[in-house]
């Protein structure tokens, strides 16, 4: 397969995944409210196609190198005095090289990671049937924002979607890092995939509370 054809297939697959992820709810499917994550979940990516700006991830002090996951959910701390976000990312990987590249973006590091929410995103509604702007759903915000909301990332979980042959081989021979989860690509491109019991169970294991036998 030529590089041009491979690139076209990669773009088409990304579009198909994002088209389905736009239908997923604001709270990641299967992730229940808990003591560990008592704040607000919002879907940051993919956003509406006609919206000019969506949240992104970056390292402190950088303006150009941004991480734009195929899917990005943000859990906002409820406290204005202890502000942070937890992130749950979804990445569609059309090749093993693509998987290696995307895994490296979320590898454990001593660097800080920031989530940046543009003002226009904060001022627009999260759902078409509810006019409430997003910033009013984020309890740490007490007044309408006039500048981007930049928050440190407390916790990272990433779900990688792999083509079936890559998924089978990876599942047989590789070990995932603690923050990593994997699924066949079909689970991300399926209509109403967020209702799949297996997907909901997998996402539940990506919640911050899943690491504890029980919570107080």
């Amino acid at each position: 397969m030529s590089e041009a054809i491979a690139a076209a297939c990669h773009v088409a697959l990304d579009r198909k995944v994002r088209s389905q992820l736009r239908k997923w709810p604001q709270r990641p499917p299967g992730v229940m409210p808990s003591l560990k994550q008592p704040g607000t979940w919002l879907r940051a990516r993919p956003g509406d196609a006609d919206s000019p700006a969506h949240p992104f991830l970056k390292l402190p002090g950088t303006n150009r190198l941004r991480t734009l996951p195929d899917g990005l959910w943000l859990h906002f701390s409820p406290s204005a005095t202890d502000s942070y976000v937890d992130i749950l990312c979804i990445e569609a990987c059309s090749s093993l090289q693509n998987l290696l590249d995307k895994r490296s973006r979320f590898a454990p590091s001593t660097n800080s990671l920031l989530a940046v929410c543009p003002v226009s995103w904060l001022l627009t509604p999260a759902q078409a049937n509810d006019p409430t702007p997003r910033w009013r759903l984020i309890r740490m915000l007490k007044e309408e924002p006039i500048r981007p909301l930049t928050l440190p990332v407390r916790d990272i979980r990433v779900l990688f979607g792999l083509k079936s042959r890559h998924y089978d081989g990876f599942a047989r021979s590789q070990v995932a890092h603690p923050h990593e989860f994997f699924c066949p690509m079909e689970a991300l491109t399926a209509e109403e995939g967020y209702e799949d019991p297996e997907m909901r169970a997998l996402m539940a294991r990506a919640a911050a509370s899943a690491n504890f036998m029980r919570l107080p």
Side-chain angles (χ1 to χ4, degrees), residues 141-185:
L141 296 179
K142 305 305 181 184
E143 57 186 26
E144 183 174 308
I146 59 174
R147 59 179 59 87
L149 178 63
T150 301
L151 296 169
V153 174
R154 181 185 70 161
D155 185 58
I156 301 173
R157 309 294 166 110
V158 188
L159 173 62
F160 296 97
L162 307 180
K163 290 184 176 179
S164 293
R165 65 181 184 278
H166 298 152
Y167 176 82
D168 291 344
F170 195 91
R172 279 195 298 265
S173 62
Q174 301 294 320
V175 174
H177 295 304
H179 67 284
E180 295 178 332
F181 300 84
F182 295 85
C183 71
M185 193 71 71

Side-chain angles (χ1 to χ4, degrees), residues 28-43:
V31 176
M32 304 302 293
S34 74
L35 177 68
K36 300 302 295 181
Q37 291 176 319
T40 303
W41 280 101
L42 290 174
R43 191 186 71 240

Side-chain angles (χ1 to χ4, degrees), residues 31-107:
V31 176
M32 304 302 293
S34 74
L35 177 68
K36 300 302 295 181
Q37 291 176 319
T40 303
W41 280 101
L42 290 174
R43 191 186 71 240
R45 287 181 173 271
D48 297 331
D50 57 353
S51 179
H54 306 290
F56 57 88
L57 308 175
K58 77 181 197 78
L59 295 176
T62 62
N63 293 320
R64 297 181 181 275
L65 299 178
R66 301 177 176 182
T67 297
L68 311 175
D70 296 316
L72 174 62
W73 276 257
L74 303 175
H75 167 262
F76 294 88
S77 160
S79 172
T81 59
D82 188 17
S83 303
Y84 63 82
V85 289
D86 299 330
I87 64 173
L88 194 156
C89 303
I90 295 180
E91 292 282 20
C93 304
S94 58
S95 68
L96 290 177
Q97 183 59 51
N98 191 220
L99 170 63
L100 294 177
D101 290 343
K102 291 187 174 183
R103 286 185 87 189
S104 68
R105 300 175 190 176
F106 301 101

Side-chain angles (χ1 to χ4, degrees), residues 105-128:
R105 300 175 190 176
F106 301 101
S109 171
T110 56
N111 291 329
S112 300
L113 185 65
L114 301 175
V116 181
C117 302
V119 173
S120 59
W121 183 81
L122 293 167
L123 297 182
T124 52
Q127 302 183 84

